Amino acid sequence: MNKELKELEKYALEKNIPIMQKETVTYIKKLIKTYNIENILEIGTAIGYSAISFALVNENIKITSVEKDQARFIQAVKNVKKFKLSDRIELVFNNALEISLNKKYDLIVIDAAKAKNTDLFQKFQTNLKKGGVIITDNIEFHGLVGKSKTIPGRNLRNLVRKIENYVDYLKYNKNYKTVFLSIGDGISVSKKRD
């Protein structure tokens, strides 16, 4: 990992900004290399750490990344400029559920409001190329997924229940073959069936 990326990671930790875990970034970068992925849609930019990491895999990669938090979006713009990637990473400031995109992508990464995973998946699956992949991050949610009945706090219990419902949605979705991997905070990898 280059020095600037390490600094970005450190900044996120210090400011308590949730960024994708290293293991997850490494896995996705391998996937990008293996399948020659060039067009990526990322839902949830935060400060641009993962988008920058993916763009650095090779110079053919183009990324559209959507962020609704203004402070994080502004920081992401600065970071993308610092890495000289403004021509390859298009940052969109908006709520992902309120935008419409016409482009098709090889890979869609969902790393936004966990309670909205199903809505985001359903909305953006039409933007996935044939044979494309949708990856969702934090599918284990700190080891709480599968244990919602034992969570005392109502808000947290409801959030975890929504993630559990999303996991079921993926398991029974006939249009996708989904595998669940215990990488980072857990990811789902859903490949569009032909």
Side-chain angles (χ1 to χ4, degrees), residues 8-175:
L8 204 53
E9 196 181 315
K10 191 175 163 226
Y11 173 85
L13 287 168
E14 284 168 3
K15 301 284 182 194
N16 211 14
I17 297 165
I19 59 168
M20 203 173 270
Q21 291 186 18
K22 263 192 235 172
E23 301 86 12
T24 308
V25 171
T26 301
Y27 174 83
I28 296 173
K29 283 166 59 177
K30 265 191 201 139
L31 197 83
I32 291 167
K33 282 179 197 162
T34 306
Y35 295 100
N36 284 323
I37 288 168
E38 291 188 348
N39 295 303
I40 302 169
L41 170 62
E42 178 183 52
I43 310 299
T45 313
I47 58 169
Y49 171 76
S50 45
I52 291 165
S53 298
F54 304 153
L56 292 174
V57 172
N58 78 59
E59 65 276 357
N60 299 320
I61 294 167
K62 295 245 190 268
I63 300 170
T64 303
S65 190
V66 185
E67 178 57 56
K68 69 176 186 177
D69 180 284
Q70 190 172 13
R72 289 181 186 167
F73 175 79
I74 290 166
Q75 191 60 50
V77 169
K78 287 178 189 168
N79 292 331
V80 167
K81 272 188 187 146
K82 186 171 152 189
F83 280 83
K84 297 178 177 51
L85 291 167
S86 301
D87 58 330
R88 297 198 291 118
I89 298 176
E90 177 193 0
L91 297 172
V92 178
F93 174 55
N94 208 328
N95 180 334
L97 291 170
E98 293 171 9
I99 63 168
S100 64
L101 299 169
N102 305 324
K103 274 178 161 169
K104 294 278 185 189
Y105 300 91
D106 307 307
L107 171 65
I108 296 174
V109 179
I110 301 173
D111 189 16
K114 306 306 159 207
K116 301 289 181 195
N117 281 344
T118 306
D119 297 336
L120 292 165
F121 188 101
Q122 288 173 340
K123 178 178 172 103
F124 291 105
Q125 66 181 337
T126 57
N127 295 95
L128 193 65
K129 285 182 183 172
K130 191 176 177 182
V133 173
I134 299 177
I135 292 178
T136 310
D137 196 16
N138 309 108
I139 214 80
E140 293 173 359
F141 202 70
H142 317 294
L144 295 173
V145 170
K147 301 173 184 169
S148 61
K149 289 179 175 74
T150 65
I151 297 169
R154 193 169 63 108
N155 289 349
L156 183 59
R157 184 171 59 244
N158 286 341
L159 173 60
V160 173
R161 207 173 274 145
K162 283 180 179 169
I163 300 170
E164 290 169 346
N165 291 340
Y166 178 63
V167 168
D168 287 341
Y169 166 79
L170 294 178
K171 280 181 184 170
Y172 302 110
N173 190 325
K174 302 256 186 284
N175 299 318

